[in-house]
Amino acid sequence: MSLLTILEFPDPRLRTTAKAVDDINDGIRSLVDDMLETMYHAQGIGLAATQVNVHQRVIVMDLSEAGDQPMVLINPQIEVLGDETCPHQEGCLSVPGFYETVQRPEHIRVTALDRDGNAFELLPDGLLAVCIQHEIDHLDGKLFVDYLSPVKRQRIRTKLEKLSRHAD
């Protein structure tokens, strides 16, 4: 396993739409393992392949306190159930250091494949529902900052660009 580089906003590669995984093989399983290692190392709870510059529909997550309940969603699809939305504070490994409130659908249905290609369905709520929606957004080239006002989004962009320049 190896650590992958996490792209940071405003990197244009984060806007790439991921393609469906055609074959769950050792290469995909290796990607999943590397993504989990990268997510745990970065102290995140979710990571989409797009964030590590791999444009395939793969997500890893672990919402457990101990970091011992990894979840894998390959080719996830989401269906919104109902009109209710709820606000949640979100952060992102690709937008480090920033947390903002985002409104998202409260009830969703998710279908996906696991690490071995087995189909499953979830009816998540709370943080799990938010995390899945956030990560699927990444696969579609969207970031949580896109839900913010243009002024807030630009302020975050400017601060991250400035930090990036000082890091070089």
Side-chain angles (χ1 to χ4, degrees):
M1 294 196 296
S2 60
L3 290 177
L4 305 170
T5 300
I6 298 173
L7 302 177
E8 292 186 6
F9 176 71
D11 193 310
R13 295 172 290 180
L14 289 167
R15 300 303 186 173
T16 305
T17 301
K19 296 191 179 349
V21 173
D22 294 327
D23 180 30
I24 298 176
N25 52 35
D26 288 342
I28 292 296
R29 284 186 281 278
S30 178
L31 171 64
V32 164
D33 293 342
D34 291 347
M35 286 175 61
L36 283 166
E37 183 179 355
T38 301
M39 178 190 73
Y40 289 131
H41 182 265
Q43 300 180 337
I45 60 172
L47 187 67
T50 301
Q51 292 176 271
V52 294
N53 201 30
V54 176
H55 303 290
Q56 297 200 35
R57 297 189 75 78
V58 178
I59 293 170
V60 298
M61 294 185 297
D62 189 336
L63 276 58
S64 68
E65 288 290 322
D68 60 356
Q69 296 174 30
M71 249 181 121
V72 176
L73 291 88
I74 299 173
N75 295 338
Q77 295 185 341
I78 191 169
E79 176 188 355
V80 175
L81 306 173
D83 296 329
E84 301 91 21
T85 63
C86 58
H88 279 275
Q89 183 128 64
E90 294 188 28
C92 182
L93 294 175
S94 291
V95 189
F98 292 90
Y99 300 88
E100 294 288 342
T101 301
V102 176
Q103 286 283 137
R104 292 197 184 266
E106 191 167 6
H107 303 288
I108 60 172
R109 174 182 291 121
V110 179
T111 56
L113 302 174
D114 68 13
R115 187 179 191 281
D116 298 314
N118 301 308
F120 66 95
E121 178 178 296
L122 295 171
L123 293 170
D125 58 12
L127 182 59
L128 180 57
V130 169
C131 190
I132 290 171
Q133 292 174 76
H134 177 109
E135 300 306 334
I136 288 176
D137 273 355
H138 277 299
L139 299 179
D140 295 332
K142 190 170 186 176
L143 298 164
F144 88 95
V145 295
D146 297 338
Y147 293 93
L148 307 177
S149 72
V151 170
K152 269 190 180 176
R153 187 169 46 252
Q154 185 58 44
R155 189 176 307 134
I156 291 170
R157 177 188 193 117
T158 301
K159 285 181 181 176
L160 287 174
E161 287 173 338
K162 184 175 180 182
L163 287 171
S164 176
R165 279 194 304 275
H166 289 293
D168 293 339

